[in-house]
Amino acid sequence: MASILRRITAEDRREAADALDDLKATLAYAGTQLPSPGIDWQCASVTGIVLIDLGAAPTSVILQIVDLLRLGVRAQRARAEQQPWHPELGSAVTLNRAGGTPLPARVVGTSEKVITVRLDSWLIT
């Protein structure tokens, strides 16, 4: 029975080992580490569920990890809040030539990546 379960959980065990390696490498890059992380191989052989044991850690290490998580969450929220600017069809926009000369224009088409404008004046000097 154990060998069948072992075959069934082989991919899960590989994923757990990779995830633990990634966690340890990321924490090391940030200048901290958990003192005794590991994988509970026995639980996997009995239940089929692979658990990663983060071990006991002093408060100072947990606070470092909490700070890292907060920084990551803030960065992720900041990226989500940065919405690309898409003008409305027909709206007036001002383009600037080299040297700062304004060029009035109208938006005639938009897509996710391209904004098409028509210059209001063809007299460009």
Side-chain angles (χ1 to χ4, degrees), residues 84-89 106-117:
W85 175 72
H86 291 289
E88 305 263 338
L89 283 175
R106 293 245 172 243
V107 176
V108 294
T110 65
S111 71
E112 285 186 32
K113 296 182 179 182
V114 177
I115 298 170
T116 306
V117 298

Side-chain angles (χ1 to χ4, degrees), residues 27-102:
L27 291 175
Y29 182 75
T32 192
Q33 65 181 13
L34 289 167
S36 58
I39 299 174
D40 187 345
W41 300 114
Q42 284 191 324
C43 184
S45 66
V46 175
T47 65
I49 299 171
V50 182
L51 299 176
I52 298 174
D53 183 1
L54 299 179
T59 302
S60 61
V61 170
I62 298 302
L63 291 174
Q64 289 174 344
I65 294 170
V66 168
D67 286 343
L68 290 171
L69 290 171
R70 283 184 181 142
L71 287 171
V73 168
R74 285 182 192 134
Q76 188 177 39
R77 285 184 180 171
R79 277 193 307 270
E81 290 172 1
Q82 293 174 348
Q83 298 295 324
W85 175 72
H86 291 289
E88 305 263 338
L89 283 175
S91 65
V93 294
T94 301
L95 307 175
N96 291 315
R97 291 182 62 175
T101 307

